[in-house]
Amino acid sequence: MRIYLLAGLIISLLSCNSSSKKTVSREVMDDTARMNDPAYVVSISATKLSITDIPSQVKIKGQLQEAWKWNDNLGENIFITSYVLPYDDKRKDEFGEQGQSAELHAVHYAKKDDGYKEVWAMNEEERSCPLDLTINFVPGSITVTDLDRDGIAETKIQYIRACRGDVSPALMKLALYENGKKYALTGSTWVPYSAESRFTVTEADVNLEKLPNVEDDTEAIPRSFGRYETEKDFASAPASFLPYARAEWLKYAKEKIGE
């Protein structure tokens, strides 16, 4: 995603925002504690794996980032996230430019009699970026839960990607999977542009689709920061999924440039 904004315009716009503050906890927990936090309504216990714990049948594209194992009504499950480091790419992007590309991969496997079978896979890339390339799973954001208590785990991932030459927000996506069915939120991160800028997005106004229309881009663009576009993917989801996804979005909406 390429966002080219005038820094002066952004600073002047965001400095005018009033700050009805709401504190969102960003406490970083130990990986195992994060998976077993009662706030996640986890009735399925997930264990973090090292590279040596992963069966040879389970293939990893690129460098391993995280691996988790758990048992549910599908049997034994293994979840892998991995990253392909930036490489020079001769392909041209939509603007006819060449640059570097990098990739993210996530795969959920379930063990069957004849080995591990893929339940779902996600493959994402930022392609041919001639500027600063960003594509990452958001640290600490992967969870394994059983929110609807049906004995089948949900796996939640969040990632950001951008090709930018300034301190613009990145695209952010949250995807919650259950047995191959995906429910997603897509929008942008929020980046502080000055010491005066404040993150004021709340659960009441994080969905852009429910906000009044704004025709002026000088208002519409900064208003999108830290928010997602729609909740339509969750229309057919169990009732517990959307409140959880909404809270998780807000928890990681603030992007820390350079970290």
Side-chain angles (χ1 to χ4, degrees):
M1 176 179 70
R2 289 165 169 75
I3 306 176
Y4 301 95
L5 301 174
L6 295 174
L9 174 62
I10 294 299
I11 292 172
S12 63
L13 285 169
L14 295 182
S15 64
C16 296
N17 286 348
S18 60
S19 59
S20 56
K21 297 181 181 178
K22 177 176 179 180
T23 301
V24 179
S25 173
R26 292 179 59 85
E27 181 181 357
V28 178
M29 294 184 289
D30 169 83
D31 281 327
T32 303
R34 168 165 54 87
M35 288 296 185
N36 295 290
D37 184 355
Y40 289 145
V41 198
V42 179
S43 58
I44 293 173
S45 179
T47 302
K48 194 171 187 180
L49 303 179
S50 68
I51 187 71
T52 57
D53 297 324
I54 300 172
S56 59
Q57 289 179 305
V58 175
K59 303 304 179 183
I60 301 171
K61 187 171 184 179
Q63 295 186 356
L64 175 68
Q65 295 226 303
E66 289 192 37
W68 292 90
K69 180 180 178 180
W70 69 91
N71 287 285
D72 62 11
N73 289 347
L74 297 179
E76 180 185 301
N77 300 268
I78 292 179
F79 176 63
I80 303 287
T81 60
S82 62
Y83 175 62
V84 174
L85 293 169
Y87 56 90
D88 291 334
D89 196 337
K90 294 183 178 180
R91 296 177 298 172
K92 293 182 178 180
D93 64 7
E94 64 268 33
F95 302 103
E97 299 172 313
Q98 293 181 338
Q100 287 200 314
S101 297
E103 304 169 15
L104 295 179
H105 301 279
V107 189
H108 174 191
Y109 295 95
K111 189 175 183 181
K112 305 298 180 183
D113 292 337
D114 55 348
Y116 291 88
K117 300 297 182 181
E118 183 180 298
V119 178
W120 62 266
M122 184 282 295
N123 304 290
E124 185 67 77
E125 72 171 344
E126 186 63 38
R127 174 180 167 185
S128 304
C129 176
L131 301 171
D132 293 328
L133 185 154
T134 298
I135 183 165
N136 298 307
F137 289 106
V138 178
S141 65
I142 295 173
T143 61
V144 179
T145 60
D146 187 12
L147 299 168
D148 56 353
R149 300 181 182 275
D150 65 350
I152 297 177
E154 309 94 27
T155 310
K156 191 267 295 179
I157 58 173
Q158 285 174 250
Y159 62 88
I160 61 173
R161 64 177 181 85
C163 179
R164 53 195 170 185
D166 56 14
V167 285
S168 302
L171 176 145
M172 184 165 77
K173 189 163 187 175
L174 179 154
L176 182 68
Y177 290 85
E178 184 183 50
N179 198 16
K181 173 67 176 177
K182 181 176 77 172
Y183 307 94
L185 300 173
T186 303
S188 69
T189 58
W190 180 90
V191 178
Y193 289 91
S194 70
E196 293 75 29
S197 59
R198 295 290 183 269
F199 181 76
T200 60
V201 183
T202 69
E203 293 186 10
D205 62 8
V206 65
N207 183 7
L208 283 170
E209 193 173 41
K210 292 186 177 181
L211 297 182
N213 291 329
V214 176
E215 295 183 2
D216 187 348
D217 284 347
T218 60
E219 295 181 38
I221 292 174
R223 189 179 69 162
S224 69
F225 301 163
R227 294 182 166 94
Y228 52 75
E229 297 168 1
T230 181
E231 296 174 346
K232 288 181 179 178
D233 263 17
F234 285 81
S236 61
S240 55
F241 284 15
L242 180 56
Y244 177 76
R246 190 185 292 129
E248 289 290 290
W249 177 279
L250 287 169
K251 186 184 296 185
Y252 299 104
K254 295 181 186 179
E255 183 185 0
K256 295 184 178 180
I257 299 292
E259 294 189 6

